Amino acid sequence: MWNEIRGLREGVDYGTPPRQGQPVTLTVDGVEVTVPEGSSVMLAAVEAGRAVPKLCATDMLESFGSCRVCLVEVEGRRGFPASCTLMVAPGMEVRTQSERLTQLRKGVMELYLSDFPEAEIADGWSEFHRTLDDIGIKTHGYGTGRVHFDLPVDDSNPYFLFDPAKCIVCSRCVRACEEVQGTFALTIQGRGFDSKVAASQDDPFMQSECVSCGACIQACPSHALVEKSLFSGGYERA
Amino acid sequence: MSVTVYVPRDAAALALGADATATAVEAEAKRRGEDVHVVRNGSRGMVWLEPLVEVQTPAGRVAYGPVAPEDVPGLFDAGFLTGGDHGLGHGPTDQMAWLKGQERLTFARVGITDPLALDDYLAHAGYRGLKQALELTPAEIVAQVTESGLRGRGGAAFPTGIKWDTVLKAEAPQKYIACNADEGDSGTFSDRMIMEGDPFALIEGMTIAGRAVGATFGYIYVRSEYPHAIRALRSAIDTAREAGWLGNDIRGSGTSFDIDVRVGAGAYICGEETSMLDSLEGKRGMIRPKPPLPAIEGLFGMPTAVNNVVSLASVPIILDRGAKYYADYGVGRSRGTLPIQLAGNLKTPGLVEKAFGVTLRELIEDYGGGTASGRPPRAVQIGGPLGAYFDESHFDLPLDYEELSENLGIVGHGGIVVFDDTVDMAEQARFAMEFCGIESCGKCTPCRVGSTRGTELIEKIMHGEDKSTNHQQLLGLLDVMENASLCALGGMAHLPVMSALRLFPEDFGLEASHVE
Ligand SMILES: Cc1cc2nc3c(=O)[nH]c(=O)nc-3n(C[C@H](O)[C@H](O)[C@H](O)COP(=O)(O)O)c2cc1C
Ligand code: SF4
Ligand code: SF4
Ligand code: FES
């Protein structure tokens, strides 16, 4: 449905919503591509067939810039801007792949892995797992440390459950609730490492303002918010 | 004839008992039938002498300090009302070596005037800059500020004139000036001293900024830990408005500008400009990606000049004396003066305003008087909690943006914190990471997770656990935080940690060769 509304190609996530505007031509990894002014470099990269990895972006939602795996290099510019929040400019020369970018993306994914249940890495099929495959990393070098695995699963809702152990705090559910559903039932609570998804005033989902629309389930890249129907024998934490 | 006695109202002086001292002076004068008028001025910046009492004599102001209430009768006995000798006396204030060598441009009035008296402000060159500005076009004001070489004193050192030019050229129904008075850096207090000691200078600077960029309203975002500054600002704003220096059609010029004071929410991250704008809008302070720059899309989506207190308070003198006057101070691309805040283990800490180019050694040894403990200084941290550490081999470095950056450090907001040889630099590095973790807004992963992992890795190294593996892992992490974080909190946390590792590997139990 989203793809129809937005006139996008079926099954492709452009990372950021389409824009209308004057055509802007740039190159992504040498491929010339023309997109409307106001589009993100991430969208242009998809259009050019050079999609960059991403976790917090999806074309249903406005860009947020929090996961930092979509970093790219731009000719004549210092640093590694996030392609989801970077707007296209005429003549821009974008590089989506380099040793340096791979190193940084691996470094970021290692941080995610350091707070993700090890047993859930191997057989997962979520967007998060695909991103791990794309970037080519499955382990981390941080050893033991603080994790979020002890937070309880919230299965109060009859249709879906929330497992905080698998949450990568990308905020997509929060933004989907707000931007797609207009409900504001979810927030990120706490700061820094303590940041976590909370429904209303940290209530169980069923007791919160959640209307069970499912927008957050669709948005979640890591199956932390997931339909119960996928688990026939009941959900068991790995 | 009434004698004027000055007792500071600055928060540092108050913390050291200035109120009781002021009361004692008034009571003792009354008891002795002396006609004394006590003025509560700002601080001269000699923190170790607070409460510093000054007496106005025909030959100028004479200083005594630190004055406790019980010293007051003795001072009267010694004839301090006419500048008489006393054990606490320091002679004429402006001849004191500590003050004499300074180049006080931004702080010209601080400690000298009654901060809340508009007539005192006007008598000391106040509002001369705005009067000049009202004769100039907005573009001419921006050109003056650009030519002065003034760069943002909040930390990022971005040229103020160029920022203003962007706001001036942006077209919008409303524009804003947002003054950043969150002053969160450890060991810094220059913003506070301006707001408490010369609030009209900030108000004048903001009004000039408003005229320069076409903004009719400004906010001052002050941290809640600064109640005296908040009160001083509110009082000065009311006074300025009553006298026609704020509000509609300022002094018949056709220019309108007004200011509101907003109190911060107590988070270090709310000092980062985009987060501050969120907080000003009444939201939880979270980092916004840039672009869009606040100069184009800032407060309530409108073009906004976000500037630090010291940046804005330096503007009146630039307009009054001319861009060249200001630019004649300083070195290289660091023009003008910097109010440097000396703190930590020093005998004589406080506020030193000097032209860029002053060496660390002058600051630490001459002004700071060496360590308070008497032990050798071992490390200094410059530029707040995310600034780099330096060791004694760097003490001859001139303080200037480019020099420090070549030496892998920052000037930041001009705070210098000194540690003696008992400091454990591994613990300092661990603390830097912990600080980053506590203050992280949690939006981006390199900082949200990385700050906690960094703290853990340094702890493991300190405990001797897999030292070289964990050291390598830490270097990789710092690289990711530096280059992949969304804002400078995560993006600068490597500075204190890397400098500690590089200069003091022995504190981590690491070989120097490991760290190179
Ligand atoms: C974590 C963080 C904290 C900051 N805190 C402050 C602050 O307390 N005061 C300040 O003026 N600038 C602070 N800054 C810098 C501001 O983002 C911004 O650069 C500055 O207010 C712009 O004003 P200026 O150009 O006049 O310096 C901070 C930046 C970061 C990344
Ligand atoms: S629950 Fe899913 S969508 Fe929500 S923050 Fe966690 S990982 Fe992201
Ligand atoms: S670096 Fe830290 S403070 Fe800055 S956006 Fe990322 S999480 Fe927030
Ligand atoms: S996809 Fe760009 S930062 Fe997450």
Side-chain angles (χ1 to χ4, degrees), chain A residues 63-68 71 77 79-81 85-87 100 103-104 106-108 110-112 114-115 140-148 167-170 188-195, chain B residues 266-269 284 286-287 289-291 437-454 456-457 460 465 469-470 473-474 476-477 479-481 483-487:
Chain A
S63 63
F64 193 60
S66 76
C67 75
R68 315 309 286 175
L71 307 180
R77 224 189 111 140
F80 306 92
T85 51
L86 182 68
M87 297 298 127
R100 191 71 180 109
Q103 186 186 25
L104 289 174
K106 280 192 172 159
V108 174
E110 240 194 307
L111 287 169
Y112 281 116
S114 73
D115 190 23
H140 66 89
Y142 287 102
T144 52
R146 280 178 68 195
V147 287
H148 290 91
C167 174
I168 60 168
V169 202
C170 68
I188 301 287
Q189 198 181 59
R191 295 199 310 187
F193 196 78
D194 295 328
S195 307
Chain B
Y268 182 72
I269 199 62
R284 158 179 158 150
M286 284 293 250
I287 302 298
K290 289 186 276 194
I438 291 168
E439 298 298 341
S440 163
C441 82
K443 181 161 175 174
C444 80
T445 306
C447 169
R448 174 176 60 88
V449 183
S451 53
T452 292
R453 295 293 172 252
E456 291 166 354
L457 286 172
K460 287 174 189 173
E465 248 174 76
T469 319
N470 282 324
Q473 187 75 20
L474 179 62
L477 169 67
D479 176 43
V480 170
M481 289 181 72
N483 291 293
S485 291
L486 173 58
C487 89

Side-chain angles (χ1 to χ4, degrees), chain B residues 152-156 163 180 182-184 268-269 271-273 306-308 311 488-489:
Chain B
R153 305 289 190 239
K163 188 185 286 185
N180 192 339
D182 200 47
E183 196 162 56
Y268 182 72
I269 199 62
E272 193 284 337
E273 56 186 1
V306 180
N307 278 121
N308 171 257
S311 315
L489 181 72

Side-chain angles (χ1 to χ4, degrees), chain A residues 162 166-174 188 197 216 219-225:
Chain A
F162 172 53
K166 285 196 259 177
C167 174
I168 60 168
V169 202
C170 68
S171 223
R172 270 163 67 162
C173 54
V174 177
I188 301 287
V197 171
C216 59
C220 181
S222 70
H223 289 172
L225 276 162

Side-chain angles (χ1 to χ4, degrees), chain B residues 155-396:
Chain B
F158 188 81
T160 306
I162 294 178
K163 188 185 286 185
W164 288 12
D165 195 45
T166 309
V167 183
L168 172 61
K169 288 187 175 137
E171 281 181 35
Q174 176 72 53
K175 297 179 191 177
Y176 296 103
I177 307 297
C179 171
N180 192 339
D182 200 47
E183 196 162 56
D185 283 3
S186 43
T188 64
F189 44 83
S190 58
D191 294 348
R192 180 183 60 69
M193 283 185 64
I194 289 276
M195 293 186 285
E196 293 176 359
D198 197 15
F200 289 112
L202 175 57
I203 295 168
E204 182 182 350
M206 286 179 73
T207 311
I208 296 171
R211 171 153 171 93
V213 305
T216 53
F217 206 86
Y219 290 94
I220 307 176
Y221 184 86
V222 194
R223 61 183 316 184
S224 59
E225 293 87 342
Y226 282 177
H228 306 93
I230 293 165
R231 253 177 270 146
L233 285 170
R234 288 195 167 136
S235 156
I237 288 168
D238 288 345
T239 306
R241 198 182 292 123
E242 276 159 30
W245 289 106
L246 279 177
N248 281 329
D249 191 18
I250 292 171
R251 311 288 290 185
S253 65
T255 290
S256 298
F257 191 75
D258 217 327
I259 300 176
D260 198 6
V261 175
R262 291 293 164 88
V263 180
Y268 182 72
I269 199 62
C270 286
E272 193 284 337
E273 56 186 1
T274 63
S275 180
M276 179 187 86
L277 293 174
D278 267 6
S279 185
L280 271 175
E281 289 175 11
K283 302 180 203 147
R284 158 179 158 150
M286 284 293 250
I287 302 298
R288 305 178 185 173
K290 289 186 276 194
L293 293 170
I296 309 254
E297 248 180 73
L299 193 60
F300 305 113
M302 297 295 157
T304 304
V306 180
N307 278 121
N308 171 257
V309 174
V310 173
S311 315
L312 287 163
S314 302
V315 166
I317 194 165
I318 292 171
L319 269 291
D320 176 18
R321 307 293 296 267
K324 186 169 180 306
Y325 173 82
Y326 190 79
D328 277 348
Y329 291 87
V331 289
R333 286 176 49 224
S334 306
R335 307 313 315 178
T337 59
L338 180 71
I340 298 147
Q341 301 122 90
L342 299 179
N345 195 337
L346 286 176
K347 260 196 207 81
T348 51
L351 188 118
V352 179
E353 182 172 352
K354 283 291 276 183
F356 284 97
V358 58
T359 66
L360 288 177
R361 195 176 299 284
E362 281 173 79
L363 291 167
I364 296 165
E365 294 175 3
D366 299 348
Y367 285 97
T371 62
S373 63
R375 302 184 65 93
R378 181 155 182 252
V380 291
Q381 188 175 29
I382 307 182
L386 304 175
Y389 287 96
F390 292 95
D391 64 6
E392 209 172 342
S393 72
H394 293 92
F395 281 9
D396 293 314

